[in-house]
Amino acid sequence: MMLIRYISQVGKYFLMLKEIFNKQTKWSVMRNLIFKEIDDLIIDSLGIVAFISFFVGGVVAIQTALNLTNPLIPKYLIGFATRQSVILEFAPTFISVIMAGKMGSFITSSIGTMRVTEQIDALEVMGVNSLNYLVFPKIIALLFYPFVIGISMFLGILGGWMAGVYGGFTSSAEFINGSQMDFIPFHIIYAFIKTFIFAMLLATIPSFHGYYMKGGALEVGKASTVSFVWTSVSIILFNYILTQLLLGS
């Protein structure tokens, strides 16, 4: 019975995706909605992303340095390990899971509140495609999400450099040499492919849980929690699949 319910929810989700692109809202209205979502979802996330990226990059560098106990192991591996960790996993995946909590809860609660207060019903009565009006601007806004991840990558490596150099674990030249060593440009492409997929999940799964919720204010909170769980699960699952497809072959 539980399996049938989950399959039904997945089917409902894909039907929602189809409906989002039907009966487009006028561009003059949509433009303002998109700018508002960019401000709410992208600009407002930069502070927390910058803070976490900088310090986690520093922690990765310190942890790597503390585990290089053998004097024969070169110090430039600190820079190499920091770069690989930040670009391949930390920036695209770890930040996306954090954003599932920040962005996802915001999206679910804002749409869920509109459902509870019957604002969505009012949009439908006026002949507006409420899914296009509410969800499409979020999808467009999150096309800028790779910009956030790019900043996260830069600050993660910068944090690693500062922790390594000023913590006395390595020299600046060694860290920079390690961060440039054996660099594979496809790793950046791989990270941004993941980021685009995660951006779609961050825009649509919380919207789904907010749009189809039932009940009152208490249920809005529950829907936010459920959306965070399922968005995080989806990100981790797609991370495994995309890693296997893009790097495993």
Side-chain angles (χ1 to χ4, degrees):
M1 201 65 189
M2 188 74 78
L3 179 63
I4 293 170
R5 186 165 145 267
Y6 284 143
I7 293 171
S8 168
Q9 290 288 89
V10 171
K12 202 174 182 181
Y13 171 75
F14 282 106
L15 288 172
M16 182 197 81
L17 292 183
K18 175 176 171 288
E19 189 62 30
I20 288 168
F21 299 98
N22 289 339
K23 198 180 171 189
Q24 295 283 327
T25 306
K26 283 194 302 185
W27 172 245
S28 57
V29 176
M30 184 59 72
R31 183 181 58 217
N32 294 330
L33 292 172
I34 290 169
F35 283 131
K36 182 181 181 300
E37 296 297 350
I38 289 172
D39 186 48
D40 288 342
L41 300 178
I42 302 298
I43 306 299
D44 282 0
S45 299
L46 289 176
I48 185 69
V49 168
F51 178 81
I52 292 171
S53 301
F54 184 82
F55 284 101
V56 171
V59 168
V60 169
I62 293 168
Q63 293 278 21
T64 305
L66 293 175
N67 283 285
L68 295 179
T69 52
N70 192 324
L72 298 177
I73 299 175
K75 294 291 184 184
Y76 62 71
L77 283 178
I78 297 170
F80 177 78
T82 303
R83 183 200 75 203
Q84 292 296 90
S85 301
V86 167
I87 289 177
L88 289 177
E89 280 309 311
F90 166 71
T93 308
F94 186 58
I95 290 293
S96 294
V97 171
I98 292 169
M99 289 300 105
K102 187 193 177 297
M103 283 185 194
S105 297
F106 174 77
I107 291 170
T108 304
S109 58
S110 59
I111 295 178
T113 302
M114 289 184 74
R115 172 63 75 189
V116 168
T117 55
E118 299 181 351
Q119 293 177 57
I120 292 176
D121 297 330
L123 287 171
E124 295 286 351
V125 167
M126 290 189 291
V128 176
N129 178 357
S130 57
L131 277 169
N132 177 259
Y133 184 88
L134 294 171
V135 184
F136 186 73
K138 293 173 173 57
I139 292 173
I140 299 301
L142 279 164
L143 291 178
F144 292 93
Y145 184 57
F147 168 71
V148 176
I149 297 305
I151 290 173
S152 174
M153 289 177 183
F154 171 75
L155 289 174
I157 295 170
L158 177 66
W161 174 78
M162 290 194 73
V165 173
Y166 292 103
F169 298 105
T170 182
S171 68
S172 179
E174 282 180 318
F175 187 93
I176 292 169
N177 180 38
S179 65
Q180 294 174 336
M181 186 182 67
D182 294 338
F183 177 64
I184 302 171
F186 181 72
H187 284 172
I188 298 285
I189 297 168
Y190 154 79
F192 282 123
I193 289 171
K194 287 205 300 186
T195 301
F196 272 112
I197 302 294
F198 297 163
M200 277 296 293
L201 297 174
L202 284 168
T204 54
I205 294 176
S207 297
F208 172 81
H209 286 283
Y211 189 84
Y212 290 108
M213 64 146 291
K214 294 181 176 68
L218 182 63
E219 280 72 25
V220 172
K222 288 180 180 177
S224 296
T225 304
V226 171
S227 85
F228 167 66
V229 170
W230 282 111
T231 307
S232 301
V233 167
S234 302
I235 286 169
I236 299 299
L237 184 62
F238 272 90
N239 183 46
Y240 174 80
I241 293 168
L242 290 168
T243 302
Q244 184 65 41
L245 289 175
L246 297 173
L247 297 183
S249 55

